[in-house]
Amino acid sequence: MFAILKREFRACFQSVIGWLFLAATLALYFLYFYVYNLSYGYPYISTTLSAISILFLITVPVLTMRIFAEERHAKTDQLIFTAPVSIGKIVLGKYLALAAVFTIAVVIISFTPLLLGRYGEVPYLESYVAVLGFWLYGLTCIAIGTFVSALTESQVIAAVLTFVFLFLGYMMDGITQTISASGNFITKLLNCYNLTAGTDKLSKGELDVTAVIYYVSVSLLFLFLTTQAIQKRRWSVSVKKLGMGIFNLGFAAAAIAVVVVLNLAAGALPSVVTNIDCTGAQLYAITDGTKQMLSSLKKQVELFVLANESSQDEQLGTTLKKYKELSSNIKLTYVDPAVSPNFYQKYTDDAVAMNSVIAVCGERSKVISYSDIYETEVDYQTYSSKTTGYDAEGQLTSAIQYITSDDLQTVYEITGHGEEAISGSFKEVIEKMNLNLESFTLLEAEQVPKDCELLVINGPTADFSKDDAYKVIQYLQDGGKAFITAQYTKEDLANFKKILDAYGLELCQGGVIEGDTQHYSQNPMYLLPDVESDEITSDVYGEYVFAPFAQGLKYEEKEDGEISYTKLLTTSDQAFLKTDYLNMQTFDKEKGDVDGPFSIGVSVADSKTGARLIVYSSTRMFSDDADNVVAGHNSALFASSIKSMAGEAEESNLIVVPVKEYTMEALTAPQSAVILTGFLTVLAVPVIMIALGVVIWMKRRKA
């Protein structure tokens, strides 16, 4: 077999075919690579690979057309029949030779993510899963071309038939959609020959074991059919021919049946076993918090999906399937809007889009709009909307917690003193926790509302009245909980500070300047404080948190021990406080500046009254702009801070799953490197390959 492999592999490069195949494949790949990845800075090569997969319709027929048809035309196939090597080994040797030629191109392509890594962050694991899908798809196409070549002695007919076979496999998804958008027995049968379905999954960074099994089994099936086709020709025209034909036909039918059963069995396995999430953002995985919530789910929850199951959003469908597999109390039902257009009116008066989900538990329900499943933003270069994130898990987990919760807690946000309103991703955190967020003014109320689970004071810029401060202190002394942030202002805010002083906290008047370059970003006022180890900071421990324009917090432990303090965020020892923060002329330390270190975030607990406070001295850190600087770590800290006070952690279902971002930052490659790489890969290398093939072919022809 190895001798045949070597001979066929050498033959590919002693003619133009092998060189032409490599040149065409690499030239088209590098053309897209040059445009998408280098010029536009797109860090994913999966799009490039998907774009060139149509090339197999042309290159594979050219590569495989001669492998058996040429020998049959030259009558040298008789040597195969009399060779001491089995037909199966001969077929495998020839196939592996062609596969080796294709693999050379794949190996070269595999170096391109490393090249991109020089210019920014690249999702390597996701990239190589896409390469695996491209490689398996190509090997399957070569197996099909090998089979077709064994059916005829004409290379032209072999090439044309291979193109037809591959074209049908490439277009099968569109063909079945044309036959029936809702799906039926015929479309299911035809989709067994959908050659691109597997690459669609693998190119998204999801290592789908069923896709791997499909490509391997289909490749082996066509190699087996090739062996049977050649084996049949061994027999001369005689009485035995009919018997052997039936024998071969039976074997072929049995092989097809085995492959179908194998793939059906693989498809029946739980997706948590067959689907391995290789994306950097874990787009397709279910987080531990959701798994814990589902495993402890006691009530029956029904998820109605407003779509036909065969035409649903594939990614959403995969996520829903995992929810069902993780809990026996989850029931998944598809409702086709074409059949039941008014179904949603049982649960809402608002129109509901296709692929939306309605979560129902008893009398409670919640509609998850399809528009909330994906996060989008406007690209102002093209003035078009692009999808940037996937939030199915966040929305589903929030909805299930909402409909299964007995009591919904209320968070009150104080207004009337120039406070910043909680907005953006931070407001979304509270909504995902199913907490009611209400605003109220202390001036208009006799006291903090009795149903207040958590009081939010978000960066007042005007001072509280004595009466307002008293109301807050009284609420805390009654065992209340407060989330407080502060921002620098020229006003003294004496009454606001009395609230903190009641619990031994001092808000230093001024702004913190960080003297250690490792603890700030770009500007000494843009702090990157140390994250201390605590249950509240567990989600961001070891990560960066961004705290711009922070003030200093100080406290002294009291001897009675009733009030305890836990540091959450701290500056370095080189930090100092500028007292005239707004008018400072230099970032250098001057006379009158106060030495650090300082706390930027503190958790306070009063064991006598049960009061809890979490105080951060930078209001700006809880804004979307600051959150984006550190990839969502600020909102994660906000979520854990709110969760720690809005109910006991071990009894709470306040699980927040953030939006899973699709894209990484664009790469930035020097223009000279882009031009040089493009010239070498798109033009120079393919031209050299074709030239080598022509020279070798002409020398052999003259010889």
Side-chain angles (χ1 to χ4, degrees):
M1 183 183 76
F2 290 105
I4 295 171
L5 190 159
K6 291 179 182 178
R7 182 177 71 86
E8 292 296 338
F9 182 76
R10 191 182 301 114
C12 287
F13 291 103
Q14 289 175 344
S15 65
V16 183
I17 291 178
W19 297 103
L20 183 62
F21 177 84
L22 288 178
T25 302
L26 294 176
L28 189 61
Y29 172 79
F30 282 117
L31 178 61
Y32 280 93
F33 178 77
Y34 169 77
V35 175
Y36 288 156
N37 304 112
L38 290 177
S39 297
Y40 292 163
Y42 197 59
Y44 301 87
I45 67 166
S46 54
T47 303
T48 304
L49 291 171
S50 297
I52 71 164
S53 60
I54 194 173
L55 183 67
F56 287 143
L57 303 184
I58 306 297
T59 56
V60 169
V62 174
L63 181 66
T64 61
M65 65 182 183
R66 50 160 289 278
I67 196 70
F68 282 110
E70 183 181 43
E71 293 194 356
R72 187 172 178 181
H73 177 73
K75 307 301 182 184
T76 55
D77 59 336
Q78 298 300 320
L79 296 175
I80 297 177
F81 300 152
T82 59
V85 183
S86 67
I87 299 297
K89 289 183 178 180
I90 292 173
V91 171
L92 187 58
K94 286 176 172 287
Y95 170 75
L96 290 178
L98 301 181
V101 175
F102 171 57
T103 302
I104 292 174
V106 174
V107 169
I108 295 173
I109 288 172
S110 297
F111 285 103
T112 56
L114 301 178
L115 175 62
L116 292 177
R118 297 179 57 192
Y119 309 119
E121 188 177 359
V122 174
Y124 290 109
L125 189 57
E126 187 173 343
S127 296
Y128 287 114
V129 169
V131 171
L132 174 64
F134 179 76
W135 183 60
L136 291 173
Y137 175 52
L139 293 180
T140 303
C141 292
I142 291 172
I144 294 170
T146 301
F147 166 68
V148 174
S149 182
L151 299 178
T152 178
E153 64 179 29
S154 170
Q155 294 186 43
V156 175
I157 294 175
V160 172
L161 288 178
T162 300
F163 172 82
V164 172
F165 271 67
L166 297 183
F167 181 76
L168 288 174
Y170 185 83
M171 296 297 297
M172 189 55 68
D173 186 56
I175 294 171
T176 54
Q177 287 293 322
T178 302
I179 294 173
S180 174
S182 59
N184 53 38
F185 175 76
I186 296 176
T187 59
K188 289 182 179 179
L189 188 64
L190 291 174
N191 272 323
C192 292
Y193 191 64
N194 187 343
L195 297 180
T196 60
T199 57
D200 291 342
K201 296 178 181 178
L202 294 169
S203 66
K204 295 175 182 176
E206 185 178 20
L207 182 53
D208 193 321
V209 176
T210 59
V212 175
I213 292 173
Y214 175 80
Y215 284 126
V216 172
S217 61
V218 170
S219 297
L220 292 175
L221 172 63
F222 276 98
L223 293 179
F224 177 80
L225 295 177
T226 303
T227 303
Q228 293 300 301
I230 296 174
Q231 186 77 24
K232 185 176 181 181
R233 295 209 314 272
R234 281 183 117 177
W235 300 85
S236 58
V237 179
S238 64
V239 178
K240 294 182 179 180
K241 183 176 181 180
L242 179 60
M244 192 62 193
I246 295 173
F247 179 73
N248 280 318
L249 186 61
F251 257 49
I256 294 172
V258 168
V259 170
V260 171
V261 170
L262 175 64
N263 281 276
L264 287 175
L269 293 173
S271 58
V272 293
V273 175
T274 60
N275 293 16
I276 303 172
D277 193 340
C278 296
T279 60
Q282 293 290 284
L283 287 170
Y284 310 104
I286 302 298
T287 60
D288 291 338
T290 295
K291 288 179 180 178
Q292 183 179 0
M293 182 269 292
L294 292 174
S295 65
S296 60
L297 190 63
K298 304 299 182 184
K299 299 179 180 179
Q300 291 288 329
V301 173
E302 189 159 13
L303 301 177
F304 293 102
V305 188
L306 302 184
N308 185 286
E309 187 171 1
S310 63
S311 59
Q312 65 169 321
D313 181 289
E314 186 176 348
Q315 187 172 351
L316 175 59
T318 300
T319 302
L320 290 167
K321 184 179 178 183
K322 289 181 178 180
Y323 269 70
K324 181 182 178 182
E325 292 169 350
L326 288 168
S327 175
S328 58
N329 286 319
I330 296 288
K331 182 180 179 183
L332 190 59
T333 304
Y334 286 88
V335 179
D336 190 345
V339 178
S340 304
N342 299 320
F343 174 82
Y344 69 90
Q345 294 179 358
K346 298 178 183 178
Y347 307 101
T348 180
D349 295 330
D350 298 327
V352 180
M354 179 84 75
N355 281 306
S356 296
V357 180
I358 302 175
V360 180
C361 178
E363 298 298 320
R364 301 188 72 170
S365 64
K366 187 172 183 179
V367 177
I368 305 171
S369 173
Y370 184 60
S371 61
D372 293 331
I373 298 295
Y374 292 95
E375 182 183 71
T376 60
E377 65 179 31
V378 177
D379 185 343
Y380 289 102
Q381 292 183 341
T382 60
Y383 291 96
S384 60
S385 178
K386 65 177 182 179
T387 303
T388 58
Y390 181 59
D391 197 28
E393 184 184 352
Q395 296 293 334
L396 287 167
T397 296
S398 175
I400 292 172
Q401 290 178 117
Y402 171 78
I403 62 176
T404 57
S405 296
D406 295 325
D407 297 308
L408 296 180
Q409 300 167 337
T410 303
V411 174
Y412 281 93
E413 183 180 17
I414 289 180
T415 61
H417 313 95
E419 291 89 351
E420 297 282 345
I422 295 176
S423 60
S425 59
F426 299 91
K427 184 177 181 180
E428 187 176 305
V429 163
I430 292 178
E431 291 173 347
K432 283 186 175 180
M433 287 183 176
N434 298 303
L435 298 170
N436 292 324
L437 180 62
E438 301 286 347
S439 298
F440 85 106
T441 304
L442 286 167
L443 182 64
E444 300 173 353
E446 294 183 0
Q447 61 182 8
V448 175
K450 292 183 179 181
D451 64 338
C452 178
E453 180 65 26
L454 176 65
L455 186 66
V456 175
I457 306 174
N458 196 33
T461 56
D463 198 15
F464 283 47
S465 67
K466 290 183 180 180
D467 191 42
D468 286 352
Y470 172 77
K471 293 173 185 176
V472 174
I473 293 172
Q474 187 63 50
Y475 163 76
L476 292 171
Q477 289 177 346
D478 290 339
K481 301 165 187 174
F483 177 88
I484 302 173
T485 72
Q487 58 181 316
Y488 179 77
T489 176
K490 284 185 176 182
E491 292 193 34
D492 186 31
L493 304 185
N495 292 320
F496 169 68
K497 290 181 179 179
K498 285 181 180 179
I499 299 172
L500 303 178
D501 184 62
Y503 290 88
L505 285 175
E506 177 189 355
L507 181 62
C508 304
Q509 184 67 20
V512 175
I513 301 298
E514 182 57 73
D516 182 359
T517 57
Q518 300 298 316
H519 284 78
Y520 69 82
S521 173
Q522 299 179 351
N523 187 314
M525 296 185 294
Y526 294 168
L527 308 187
L528 298 174
D530 287 323
V531 179
E532 304 295 335
S533 178
D534 185 73
E535 184 179 355
I536 295 173
T537 59
S538 59
D539 290 339
V540 295
Y541 184 68
E543 305 288 353
Y544 283 122
V545 168
F546 185 48
F549 309 111
Q551 293 178 264
L553 285 171
K554 288 194 173 184
Y555 58 87
E556 291 185 7
E557 299 278 358
K558 295 184 179 180
E559 294 182 1
D560 57 18
E562 289 182 356
I563 298 179
S564 59
Y565 302 90
T566 302
K567 294 179 181 179
L568 303 178
L569 305 176
T570 56
T571 67
S572 76
D573 293 338
Q574 299 179 42
F576 54 91
L577 190 79
K578 287 280 187 182
T579 53
D580 191 9
Y581 195 49
L582 297 180
N583 298 315
M584 66 179 185
Q585 301 297 317
T586 177
F587 290 129
D588 295 330
K589 187 177 178 183
E590 299 174 300
K591 184 178 179 179
D593 292 343
V594 181
D595 290 331
F598 302 97
S599 293
I600 302 300
V602 178
S603 173
V604 183
D606 187 337
S607 60
K608 183 177 180 179
T609 64
R612 289 280 312 279
L613 292 84
I614 293 181
V615 182
Y616 293 101
S617 61
S618 169
T619 301
R620 296 281 187 89
M621 68 184 293
F622 299 113
S623 65
D624 282 341
D625 288 341
D627 195 38
N628 292 334
V629 172
V630 286
H633 296 155
N634 283 17
S635 58
L637 177 63
F638 177 80
S640 58
S641 298
I642 298 298
K643 178 180 177 180
S644 70
M645 293 189 291
E648 293 299 323
E650 63 271 16
E651 297 177 359
S652 176
N653 287 325
L654 305 179
I655 298 168
V656 177
V657 182
V659 178
K660 298 177 179 181
E661 299 297 330
Y662 268 128
T663 57
M664 292 182 170
E665 292 293 326
L667 306 175
T668 304
Q671 190 62 26
S672 58
V674 172
I675 295 173
L676 179 60
T677 305
F679 172 76
L680 291 175
T681 56
V682 179
L683 294 176
V685 173
V687 168
I688 291 172
M689 285 183 173
I690 294 175
L692 279 173
V694 172
V695 170
I696 293 171
W697 175 73
M698 292 182 66
K699 284 185 176 180
R700 286 184 55 82
R701 187 178 182 185
K702 289 180 180 179

